[in-house]
């Protein structure tokens, strides 16, 4: 049976070059970067090289990179660390309604500490409008955090415009660029942000290698207390293999970016056209154009996501869904609901995320199998038979 | 994907008795507004027995397997026997369900019960404990447990 992996949002395969780069650090080069001897030097050199590589990917400088264990950690550090550092100037922060849980729940923690949180709504495409952001900013707003691209529908947000509107003297602006970094051009100066999160596992690097970029001169409190690693902002012995992998992945991402974007955009177009053309009563979710190259997301009416995933899996296809039944908490995706998708349609949400190994045959295979799966589930769906009866009058 | 037993997977991949019964003697529909699951059972009754049972299900893999196994469990049984089926029995027949999917097993028993009640009321059959009681309110938060 053909195997088609279209769940790159959940995990990406390592570039072989990344694995190669990491291996010595799981073997002979085991030293602690902080040690003052040859073993330490080897590890430290590798750490600093990775810092350069990550900085280069996003147009920052190496000193501004703080390595973290995950995008979640980077987001926690940014939201809590940046807001707490400014608590004496104000206790209000602004986030969007479609942020990742690591942002949402960090904001909730701040709420318990006395901060007020405003949530900016999005439109039907999942776009955060700069006007809306501005409307929520107050005199005591110390932090705005708006994601660069959404990891469930792929919509790319107008972060640079938001930064421009907030102005030089505005609040600190953080962007969660975990979904976008390595997949579309990301340049911290062009975006005009003060802090940016990224994670290597979204661009074929290893898990455990992620980073927060914080602009020089911007104050941030650490999440953990400890030693002097990462300038004291992220203490704890460095995960050198993961960081080396992140660095190499950043380099690979930068050199392959244009070609990869072209290839993935073409494949994604083909998948979207195929699915919308062959599956009746299906809609595209997210912005039709302003979206991550490899993201094809849909709502397929009258059926439920988990059962779609299970049948796709039986055909060797991996995808994801934001349905209530697929989530452990049995709640429909907050992103889809914020976009105005109703509960019933959200149940049929599907997300295909294409990656470096995806080819046209994979797309064709999904376009062939998905309609069969949908048909089969609709044959047993009471909603579908109701719909048909109503249609017949 | 939740870890399902082999039995759940079998019923999910090849659900038994899917469909609708035209001119059914009883129809029972149960829905959960929170996670959106919905199940409709159709029954044909002859001599107080469930001569035929069919259903349609909108929901997760567990919900589909539940409706399939419930239809198997009660087909050919008397109405009274069918009413003794509990969610726990359904889950057991399926060799267990993941904890956060147990609520899906309620749907099957509830939808079937509703279908039998619908039959009893429309055919003027007295069934103590069923036709003379109010159905409990549908549990709006079953999915959040
Ligand atoms: S039908 Fe929603 S979790 Fe089973």
């Amino acid at each position: 049976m053909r195997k088609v992996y279209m769940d790159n949002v959940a995990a990406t395969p390592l570039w072989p070059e990344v694995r190669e780069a990491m291996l010595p650090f799981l073997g002979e080069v085991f030293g602690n970067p902080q040690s003052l001897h040859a073993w330490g030097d080897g590890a430290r050199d590798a750490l600093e090289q990775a810092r350069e590589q990550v900085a280069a990917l996003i147009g920052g400088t190496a000193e501004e990179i703080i390595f973290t264990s995950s995008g979640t950690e980077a987001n926690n550090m940014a939201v809590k660390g940046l807001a707490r550092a400014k608590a004496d100037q104000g206790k209000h922060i602004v986030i969007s309604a479609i942020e990742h849980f690591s942002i949402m729940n960090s904001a909730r923690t701040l709420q318990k500490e006395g901060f007020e949180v405003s949530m900016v709504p999005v439109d039907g495409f999942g776009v955060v409008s700069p006007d809306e952001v501005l409307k929520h900013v107050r005199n005591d707003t110390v932090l705005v955090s708006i994601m660069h691209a959404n990891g469930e529908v792929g919509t790319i947000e107008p972060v640079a415009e938001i930064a421009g509107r907030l102005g030089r003297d505005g609040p600190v602006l953080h962007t969660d660029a975990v979904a976008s970094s390595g997949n579309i051009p990301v340049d911290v100066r062009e975006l005009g942000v003060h802090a940016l999160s990224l994670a290597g596992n979204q661009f074929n690097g290893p898990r455990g290698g992620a980073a927060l970029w914080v602009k020089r001169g911007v104050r941030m409190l650490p999440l953990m207390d400890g030693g002097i690693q990462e300038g004291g902002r992220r203490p704890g012995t460095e995960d050198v293999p993961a960081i080396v992998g992140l660095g190499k992945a950043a380099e690979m991402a930068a050199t392959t970016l244009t070609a990869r974007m072209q290839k993935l955009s073409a494949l994604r177009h083909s998948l979207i056209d195929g699915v919308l053309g062959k599956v009746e009563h299906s809609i595209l979710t997210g912005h039709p154009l302003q979206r991550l190259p490899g993201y094809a997301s849909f709502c397929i009416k009258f059926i439920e996501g988990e059962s779609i995933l299970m049948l796709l899996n039986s055909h060797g296809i991996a995808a994801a869904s934001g349905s209530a039944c697929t989530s452990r908490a049995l709640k429909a995706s907050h992103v889809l609901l914020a976009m105005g998708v109703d509960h019933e349609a959200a149940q049929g949400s599907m997300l295909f995320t294409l990656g470096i190994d995806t080819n046209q045959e994979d797309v064709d295979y999904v376009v062939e199998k998905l309609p069969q799966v949908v048909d089969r589930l609709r044959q047993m769906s009471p909603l579908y038979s109701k719909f048909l009866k109503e249609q017949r009058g | 994907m939740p870890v399902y037993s082999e039995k759940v997977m079998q019923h999910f991949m090849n659900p038994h008795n899917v469909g609708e019964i035209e001119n059914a003697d009883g129809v029972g529909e149960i829905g959960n507004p929170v996670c959106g699951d919905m199940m409709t059972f159709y029954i044909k009754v002859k001599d107080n027995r469930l001569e035929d049972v069919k259903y349609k299900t909108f929901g997760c893999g567990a919900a589909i397997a539940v409706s399939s196994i419930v239809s198997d469990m009660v087909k050919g049984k008397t109405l009274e026997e069918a009413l003794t089926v509990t969610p726990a029995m359904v889950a057991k027949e399926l060799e267990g369900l993941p904890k956060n999917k147990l609520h899906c097993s309620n749907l099957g028993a509830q939808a079937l019960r509703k279908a039998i009640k619908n039959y009893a009321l429309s055919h003027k059959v007295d069934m103590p404990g069923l036709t003379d009681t109010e159905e409990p309110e549908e549990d709006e938060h079953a999915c959040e447990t």
Side-chain angles (χ1 to χ4, degrees), chain A residues 304 306 324-326 330 347, chain B residues 4 35-38 58-63 100-101 103-104 107 143:
Chain A
E304 188 281 320
E306 186 196 286
C325 305
T326 46
L330 298 165
Q347 278 295 72
Chain B
Y4 286 135
C35 81
D37 350 14
M38 185 165 152
F58 165 65
C60 71
N100 69 340
K101 294 288 181 180
H103 70 97
C104 312
L107 288 181
C143 276

